[in-house]
Amino acid sequence: MTSLLSTVTRRLTNLTTHLTHNIRTASTSTMKEAMVAKGPKVTIIDSPIPKPGPNQVVTKLVFSGSNPKDWKVPEWMPDHEPANQGDDISGIVHEVGEGVSEFKPGDRVAAFHEMMAPGGSYAEYALSWAHTTFPLPPNVSFEEGAALPLAAMTAACGLYAKLRLPEPWLPTTKPTPLVIYGASSAVGYYTIQLALKSNIHPLICVAGNAQAHVEKLLDRSKGDTIVDYRNGDEAVVKGLKDALKGSKLEYAYDAVSEKNSYLNIAQVLDHNTGKITFVLPGKKYDELPASIERTITRVGDVHGNPDDLREFGFVYFRYISKGLAEGWFKAQPQEVVEGGLGGVEEALTRLKEGRVSAVKLIFRVGDTPGAGSE
């Protein structure tokens, strides 16, 4: 009898589990999500809308932003399954997880999605941690919000966590030359703005076609200047030296980190006290004098791995939000790519081919074919 009851109970339990699973599956809302493979090749699929865990936020996307890493990661990891590579979130809070008190459904936010984790921004709904989510002020559009998170935080991490330059709320009072290589890129554009708030001058900005984009930020009266990389490496080195006017260069932010950028900087950077930070990894930096302090700026550290910059990320995202509200911090100009998530492949191809200058390519997610149908 006991054995029979046990068997019946087990079968009823299995049936209940099976029915519950079917009910949940049938009632789960779905969304459109863009998966990126090497190429870049993008496929749009139907996926379940993510649910927030403790200290997480689910945002209904209005706009998503793109970044060069979105096509590079599939190239670096060709054996991995296609994944949602989007990390720049801009939209309205849909749901919050346990422990989230700063945000509620209906809030306007931007956020930095944890790279390589589920719930990326190339979708109708995206997942972020509360500490890398920040209020989008009323004076800032969703388009601008999509151009900010990853690149703006990369700028902050490089300047303050790696180079350890004076914080913007404790600006320096002495001349502090800083080379920003790749100044018209999104990272470079945000680096300039934060450096200005820290009263760092002269800013020696290396740029090309988009010099006008950089020029409007600079203060020539404090020695800020632009060096044109299109004139070749020798001219760049000479331009850097001329801009320094005999001053010692101790800080450089290399937002390019390829095509000899670091070698050009090394010819000018002080070999005893110089510090340089890169945005790309690589053994190529071993070519630099060993006495130069070298660091890699990894924006993913604000999610705690490998360096733990979670507290740093929490503070600086809120400071960036404050800067947006006050108007001294502005988003990189944006270009909306047509087709919603259907435009991701075109945008990443343009980034790969170097056909993007001084703008962030963003996507109006609601324009995705089939979006909102659930």
Side-chain angles (χ1 to χ4, degrees), residues 266-333:
Q267 293 186 57
V268 185
L269 194 63
D270 188 274
H271 287 189
N272 296 313
T273 59
K275 298 180 179 181
I276 183 171
T277 192
F278 307 101
V279 295
L280 296 176
K283 292 184 177 180
K284 57 194 176 186
Y285 309 131
D286 292 342
E287 301 175 53
L288 303 183
S291 55
I292 291 177
E293 183 179 315
R294 292 161 284 176
T295 58
I296 305 296
T297 294
R298 297 177 297 257
V299 68
D301 287 349
V302 299
H303 289 122
N305 185 30
D307 294 336
D308 192 345
L309 294 181
R310 284 175 291 188
E311 295 293 307
F312 180 96
F314 174 88
V315 171
Y316 267 96
F317 269 131
R318 280 139 192 82
Y319 188 69
I320 288 167
S321 179
K322 180 176 183 289
L324 292 167
E326 294 174 352
W328 59 262
F329 196 79
K330 297 184 183 298
Q332 178 87 330

Side-chain angles (χ1 to χ4, degrees), residues 19 76 107 128 172 186 198 233 238 246 273 281 315 330 345 374:
L19 289 172
W76 296 335
D107 286 348
S128 61
T172 184
S198 291
D233 293 339
K238 183 180 185 302
T273 59
V315 171
K330 297 184 183 298
E345 183 172 315
E374 297 191 4

Side-chain angles (χ1 to χ4, degrees), residues 119-184:
S121 71
Y122 290 160
E124 292 183 76
Y125 296 82
L127 190 66
S128 61
W129 292 96
H131 78 278
T132 57
T133 304
F134 59 98
L136 200 60
N139 60 309
V140 180
S141 68
F142 288 115
E143 291 94 327
E144 292 169 307
L148 287 160
L150 185 151
M153 184 51 62
T154 302
C157 286
L159 283 174
Y160 306 118
K162 299 301 180 180
L163 294 177
R164 298 300 178 101
L165 282 159
E167 307 281 0
W169 47 83
L170 292 172
T172 184
T173 57
K174 63 179 183 180
T176 307
L178 170 67
V179 166
I180 302 173
Y181 213 112
S184 65

